[in-house]
């Protein structure tokens, strides 16, 4: 019994140590980006001994991938919880709100915003394949939602559901950069303005800009 208790205490200490390292890494990668973060800085700034750090992780790449994985897992859980409600709505509104979910997630978890952009838009070349593997489950989730929802919409005769799904999936990855460009002359200072700009742009992306006869 004593040995079992000691093992449980050790496991609890290990869990707390790993969580401390993870939170420190999230803070540093969010603030500085992948290129500027060093293992030494993480240890120094967060009171982590190098011995404990290297006991669990071999280097910066391990930590960055851990942060990316943690971010995508939390995002997937957030999307799954909210997609169930979107499925009950009109298809066009569901698609529009689906695109807003990611930004809502970052609104609740600000440190993950820069980690996401580092992983997706400024991917370290040598980590590309591993990050793609980590992204796999959430990409599949997004693809399934888009495919189901698009199936409820009357598309133009020359469009296939599969191609529209691919188009919207591709647009989703660059949408918020487009929002920044779209309102480049107007400083977006609050969430309401951001969502308003996103809604306007979304309507143009989905419905087009050419008047249909």
């Amino acid at each position: 019994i004593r040995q079992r208790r000691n093992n449980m205490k050790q496991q609890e200490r290990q869990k707390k140590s790993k969580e401390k390292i993870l939170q420190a890494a999230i803070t540093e990668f969010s603030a500085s980006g992948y290129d500027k973060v060093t293992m030494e800085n993480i240890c120094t700034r967060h009171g982590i001994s190098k011995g404990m750090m290297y006991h669990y992780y071999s280097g910066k790449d391990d930590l960055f991938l851990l942060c990316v994985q943690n971010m995508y897992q939390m995002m997937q859980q957030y999307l799954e919880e909210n997609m169930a409600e979107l499925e009950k709505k009109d298809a066009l509104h569901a698609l529009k709100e689906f695109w807003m979910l990611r930004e809502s997630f970052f609104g609740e978890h600000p440190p993950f915003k820069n980690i996401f952009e580092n992983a997706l838009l400024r991917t370290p070349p040598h980590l590309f394949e591993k990050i793609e593997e980590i992204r796999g489950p959430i990409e599949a989730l997004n693809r399934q939602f888009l495919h189901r929802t698009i199936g409820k919409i009357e598309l133009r005769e020359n469009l296939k559901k599969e191609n529209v799904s691919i188009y919207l999936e591709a647009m989703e990855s660059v949408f918020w950069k487009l929002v920044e460009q779209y309102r480049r002359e107007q400083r977006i200072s609050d969430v309401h303005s951001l969502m308003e700009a996103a809604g306007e742009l979304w309507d143009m992306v989905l419905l087009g800009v050419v008047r249909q006869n």
Side-chain angles (χ1 to χ4, degrees):
I1 294 176
R2 181 179 298 176
Q3 183 63 39
R4 186 183 303 170
R5 288 177 178 173
N6 289 338
N7 289 339
M8 290 178 66
K9 288 181 179 180
Q10 183 177 7
Q11 290 174 0
E12 186 64 26
R13 286 195 298 269
Q14 291 175 342
K15 182 179 179 181
K16 288 182 179 179
S17 296
K18 287 183 176 181
E19 181 62 25
K20 181 177 181 179
I21 293 172
L22 171 61
Q23 294 306 317
I26 289 173
T27 298
E28 293 303 314
F29 283 117
S30 174
S32 304
Y34 173 84
D35 291 334
K36 295 181 180 180
V37 170
T38 66
M39 298 286 274
E40 184 175 350
N41 285 345
I42 294 175
C43 290
T44 301
R45 292 171 182 170
H46 298 272
I48 299 170
S49 71
K50 290 184 178 180
M52 183 174 77
M53 173 69 83
Y54 285 101
H55 176 72
Y56 295 113
Y57 304 105
S58 63
K60 183 170 78 170
D61 288 351
D62 277 356
L63 277 181
F64 183 65
L65 291 173
L66 177 69
C67 293
V68 172
Q69 184 174 41
N70 185 259
M71 180 266 295
Y72 273 120
Q73 287 175 342
M74 292 183 65
M75 182 188 291
Q76 181 172 347
Q77 182 179 354
Y78 183 85
L79 293 178
E80 287 175 340
E81 291 172 354
N82 287 277
M83 280 179 182
E85 290 300 314
L86 295 186
E87 297 274 9
K88 303 174 185 177
K89 298 186 177 184
D90 168 81
L92 290 180
H93 284 90
L95 285 172
K96 185 175 183 178
E97 291 185 29
F98 167 72
W99 279 26
M100 305 300 179
L101 282 180
R102 195 183 77 188
E103 204 65 18
S104 297
F105 170 78
F106 290 134
E108 294 185 19
H109 306 280
F112 283 138
K113 176 75 171 180
N114 286 339
I115 292 175
F116 175 83
E117 292 182 351
N118 265 265
L120 185 65
L121 305 178
R122 297 184 292 276
T123 312
H126 64 292
L127 297 179
F128 178 82
E129 290 185 3
K130 291 183 178 179
I131 290 175
E132 285 293 293
E133 183 179 345
I134 292 171
R135 288 178 57 203
I138 201 168
E139 286 188 333
L141 178 69
N142 290 344
R143 194 173 296 117
Q144 290 165 8
F145 174 83
L146 289 173
H147 196 74
R148 287 195 305 271
T149 307
I150 291 168
K152 303 174 186 177
I153 298 173
E154 184 178 353
L155 301 175
R156 289 181 2 220
E157 292 183 2
N158 62 325
L159 293 178
K160 296 180 180 179
K161 181 169 66 173
E162 293 77 10
N163 292 341
V164 174
S165 293
I166 293 171
Y167 163 69
L168 291 180
E169 188 177 353
M171 286 298 299
E172 195 267 345
S173 66
V174 299
F175 181 71
W176 293 101
K177 288 296 180 183
L178 292 177
V179 172
E180 292 178 8
Q181 289 294 313
Y182 177 60
R183 283 291 183 92
R184 62 181 178 275
E185 295 181 359
Q186 303 176 32
R187 184 176 180 182
I188 299 177
S189 58
D190 58 77
V191 174
H192 176 74
S193 298
L194 178 69
M195 293 306 181
E196 184 180 65
E200 292 173 6
L201 185 58
W202 163 251
D203 286 341
M204 287 190 278
V205 168
L206 186 64
L207 303 177
V209 297
V210 178
R211 182 173 182 176
Q212 301 295 320
N213 295 325

